[in-house]
mmCIF file of all heavy atoms in Angstrom:
data_model
loop_
_atom_site.group_PDB
_atom_site.id
_atom_site.type_symbol
_atom_site.label_atom_id
_atom_site.label_comp_id
_atom_site.label_asym_id
_atom_site.label_seq_id
_atom_site.Cartn_x
_atom_site.Cartn_y
_atom_site.Cartn_z
ATOM 1 N N LYS A 188 25.821 -103.536 -199.653
ATOM 2 C CA LYS A 188 25.927 -103.263 -198.225
ATOM 3 C C LYS A 188 24.599 -102.959 -197.569
ATOM 4 O O LYS A 188 24.534 -102.740 -196.348
ATOM 5 C CB LYS A 188 26.892 -102.085 -198.007
ATOM 6 C CG LYS A 188 28.310 -102.363 -198.474
ATOM 7 C CD LYS A 188 29.213 -101.162 -198.260
ATOM 8 C CE LYS A 188 30.622 -101.469 -198.728
ATOM 9 N NZ LYS A 188 31.526 -100.300 -198.564
ATOM 10 N N VAL A 194 9.433 -98.330 -199.731
ATOM 11 C CA VAL A 194 9.416 -97.025 -200.419
ATOM 12 C C VAL A 194 8.081 -96.351 -200.097
ATOM 13 O O VAL A 194 7.052 -97.011 -200.023
ATOM 14 C CB VAL A 194 9.597 -97.164 -201.944
ATOM 15 C CG1 VAL A 194 11.017 -97.592 -202.281
ATOM 16 C CG2 VAL A 194 8.624 -98.151 -202.545
ATOM 17 N N ASP A 201 -0.226 -92.053 -207.735
ATOM 18 C CA ASP A 201 -0.574 -93.221 -208.564
ATOM 19 C C ASP A 201 0.434 -94.354 -208.482
ATOM 20 O O ASP A 201 0.209 -95.432 -209.024
ATOM 21 C CB ASP A 201 -0.830 -92.824 -210.019
ATOM 22 C CG ASP A 201 0.381 -92.154 -210.680
ATOM 23 O OD1 ASP A 201 1.467 -92.129 -210.070
ATOM 24 O OD2 ASP A 201 0.215 -91.652 -211.818
ATOM 25 N N ALA A 241 7.974 -79.961 -194.349
ATOM 26 C CA ALA A 241 6.857 -80.431 -193.534
ATOM 27 C C ALA A 241 6.813 -81.951 -193.475
ATOM 28 O O ALA A 241 6.579 -82.537 -192.414
ATOM 29 C CB ALA A 241 5.539 -79.884 -194.090
ATOM 30 N N ALA A 255 14.882 -95.897 -186.143
ATOM 31 C CA ALA A 255 15.629 -96.027 -187.391
ATOM 32 C C ALA A 255 16.487 -94.796 -187.617
ATOM 33 O O ALA A 255 16.081 -93.660 -187.282
ATOM 34 C CB ALA A 255 14.664 -96.198 -188.577
ATOM 35 N N ILE A 259 18.637 -87.119 -193.627
ATOM 36 C CA ILE A 259 17.841 -86.020 -194.184
ATOM 37 C C ILE A 259 18.667 -85.222 -195.175
ATOM 38 O O ILE A 259 19.647 -84.579 -194.803
ATOM 39 C CB ILE A 259 17.320 -85.093 -193.057
ATOM 40 C CG1 ILE A 259 16.443 -85.885 -192.071
ATOM 41 C CG2 ILE A 259 16.557 -83.914 -193.659
ATOM 42 C CD1 ILE A 259 16.025 -85.079 -190.869
ATOM 43 N N ILE A 313 28.645 -66.137 -202.364
ATOM 44 C CA ILE A 313 28.370 -67.539 -202.656
ATOM 45 C C ILE A 313 27.411 -67.591 -203.840
ATOM 46 O O ILE A 313 26.297 -67.061 -203.780
ATOM 47 C CB ILE A 313 27.795 -68.259 -201.432
ATOM 48 C CG1 ILE A 313 28.833 -68.230 -200.300
ATOM 49 C CG2 ILE A 313 27.398 -69.693 -201.763
ATOM 50 C CD1 ILE A 313 28.323 -68.647 -198.968
ATOM 51 N N ALA A 324 15.629 -71.256 -202.735
ATOM 52 C CA ALA A 324 16.841 -70.475 -202.999
ATOM 53 C C ALA A 324 17.103 -69.566 -201.803
ATOM 54 O O ALA A 324 16.159 -68.999 -201.242
ATOM 55 C CB ALA A 324 16.690 -69.651 -204.270
ATOM 56 N N GLY A 333 27.625 -70.741 -196.530
ATOM 57 C CA GLY A 333 27.534 -69.467 -195.841
ATOM 58 C C GLY A 333 27.760 -69.606 -194.340
ATOM 59 O O GLY A 333 28.441 -68.770 -193.722
ATOM 60 N N ALA A 348 24.118 -62.040 -193.640
ATOM 61 C CA ALA A 348 23.694 -62.564 -194.945
ATOM 62 C C ALA A 348 23.026 -61.482 -195.781
ATOM 63 O O ALA A 348 22.173 -60.742 -195.302
ATOM 64 C CB ALA A 348 22.737 -63.732 -194.763
ATOM 65 N N ASP A 349 23.427 -61.396 -197.046
ATOM 66 C CA ASP A 349 22.783 -60.512 -198.022
ATOM 67 C C ASP A 349 22.219 -61.419 -199.105
ATOM 68 O O ASP A 349 22.935 -61.874 -199.992
ATOM 69 C CB ASP A 349 23.808 -59.548 -198.609
ATOM 70 C CG ASP A 349 23.177 -58.553 -199.584
ATOM 71 O OD1 ASP A 349 21.974 -58.692 -199.863
ATOM 72 O OD2 ASP A 349 23.890 -57.656 -200.063
ATOM 73 N N ARG A 361 30.444 -53.826 -195.772
ATOM 74 C CA ARG A 361 31.651 -54.546 -195.360
ATOM 75 C C ARG A 361 31.285 -55.666 -194.398
ATOM 76 O O ARG A 361 30.542 -55.458 -193.435
ATOM 77 C CB ARG A 361 32.627 -53.575 -194.701
ATOM 78 C CG ARG A 361 33.957 -54.210 -194.249
ATOM 79 C CD ARG A 361 34.864 -53.141 -193.639
ATOM 80 N NE ARG A 361 36.038 -53.700 -192.995
ATOM 81 C CZ ARG A 361 37.174 -53.997 -193.617
ATOM 82 N NH1 ARG A 361 37.269 -53.738 -194.912
ATOM 83 N NH2 ARG A 361 38.209 -54.503 -192.963
ATOM 84 N N ILE A 364 27.994 -61.452 -196.195
ATOM 85 C CA ILE A 364 28.177 -62.638 -197.014
ATOM 86 C C ILE A 364 27.020 -62.665 -197.993
ATOM 87 O O ILE A 364 25.865 -62.805 -197.601
ATOM 88 C CB ILE A 364 28.219 -63.916 -196.140
ATOM 89 C CG1 ILE A 364 29.427 -63.882 -195.201
ATOM 90 C CG2 ILE A 364 28.242 -65.156 -197.024
ATOM 91 C CD1 ILE A 364 29.462 -65.034 -194.213
ATOM 92 N N LEU A 381 33.379 -67.165 -203.485
ATOM 93 C CA LEU A 381 34.275 -66.120 -203.988
ATOM 94 C C LEU A 381 34.735 -65.243 -202.833
ATOM 95 O O LEU A 381 33.927 -64.698 -202.085
ATOM 96 C CB LEU A 381 33.534 -65.290 -205.032
ATOM 97 C CG LEU A 381 34.205 -63.982 -205.501
ATOM 98 C CD1 LEU A 381 35.469 -64.286 -206.279
ATOM 99 C CD2 LEU A 381 33.225 -63.172 -206.346
ATOM 100 N N ALA A 384 38.991 -59.233 -203.034
ATOM 101 C CA ALA A 384 39.576 -58.038 -202.435
ATOM 102 C C ALA A 384 40.146 -57.183 -203.554
ATOM 103 O O ALA A 384 40.120 -57.567 -204.732
ATOM 104 C CB ALA A 384 40.675 -58.436 -201.453
ATOM 105 N N LEU A 391 36.708 -70.832 -204.663
ATOM 106 C CA LEU A 391 36.588 -72.251 -204.348
ATOM 107 C C LEU A 391 35.350 -72.769 -205.077
ATOM 108 O O LEU A 391 34.285 -72.172 -204.967
ATOM 109 C CB LEU A 391 36.435 -72.470 -202.836
ATOM 110 C CG LEU A 391 37.500 -71.847 -201.945
ATOM 111 C CD1 LEU A 391 37.177 -72.113 -200.470
ATOM 112 C CD2 LEU A 391 38.886 -72.389 -202.288
ATOM 113 N N ALA A 395 28.793 -80.470 -209.583
ATOM 114 C CA ALA A 395 28.171 -81.796 -209.578
ATOM 115 C C ALA A 395 27.572 -82.051 -210.956
ATOM 116 O O ALA A 395 26.793 -81.226 -211.456
ATOM 117 C CB ALA A 395 27.090 -81.879 -208.509
ATOM 118 N N LEU A 410 24.484 -96.077 -193.402
ATOM 119 C CA LEU A 410 25.273 -97.206 -192.893
ATOM 120 C C LEU A 410 26.143 -96.773 -191.703
ATOM 121 O O LEU A 410 26.257 -97.496 -190.714
ATOM 122 C CB LEU A 410 26.153 -97.774 -194.000
ATOM 123 C CG LEU A 410 25.397 -98.345 -195.207
ATOM 124 C CD1 LEU A 410 26.356 -98.743 -196.312
ATOM 125 C CD2 LEU A 410 24.530 -99.529 -194.780
ATOM 126 N N ASP A 414 25.587 -97.821 -185.714
ATOM 127 C CA ASP A 414 26.078 -98.126 -184.354
ATOM 128 C C ASP A 414 26.278 -96.859 -183.522
ATOM 129 O O ASP A 414 26.984 -96.897 -182.497
ATOM 130 C CB ASP A 414 27.378 -98.921 -184.427
ATOM 131 C CG ASP A 414 28.482 -98.179 -185.162
ATOM 132 O OD1 ASP A 414 28.218 -97.086 -185.712
ATOM 133 O OD2 ASP A 414 29.612 -98.691 -185.204
ATOM 134 N N LYS A 416 25.060 -93.475 -181.194
ATOM 135 C CA LYS A 416 24.067 -93.108 -180.185
ATOM 136 C C LYS A 416 23.083 -92.107 -180.761
ATOM 137 O O LYS A 416 23.428 -91.342 -181.659
ATOM 138 C CB LYS A 416 24.767 -92.522 -178.962
ATOM 139 C CG LYS A 416 25.658 -93.512 -178.218
ATOM 140 C CD LYS A 416 26.307 -92.830 -177.013
ATOM 141 C CE LYS A 416 27.192 -93.825 -176.256
ATOM 142 N NZ LYS A 416 27.843 -93.180 -175.076
#
Side-chain angles (χ1 to χ4, degrees):
K188 297 179 180 179
V194 290
D201 59 8
I259 300 174
I313 298 169
D349 183 355
R361 181 178 171 86
I364 297 174
L381 169 67
L391 306 178
L410 298 174
D414 59 355
K416 295 180 179 180

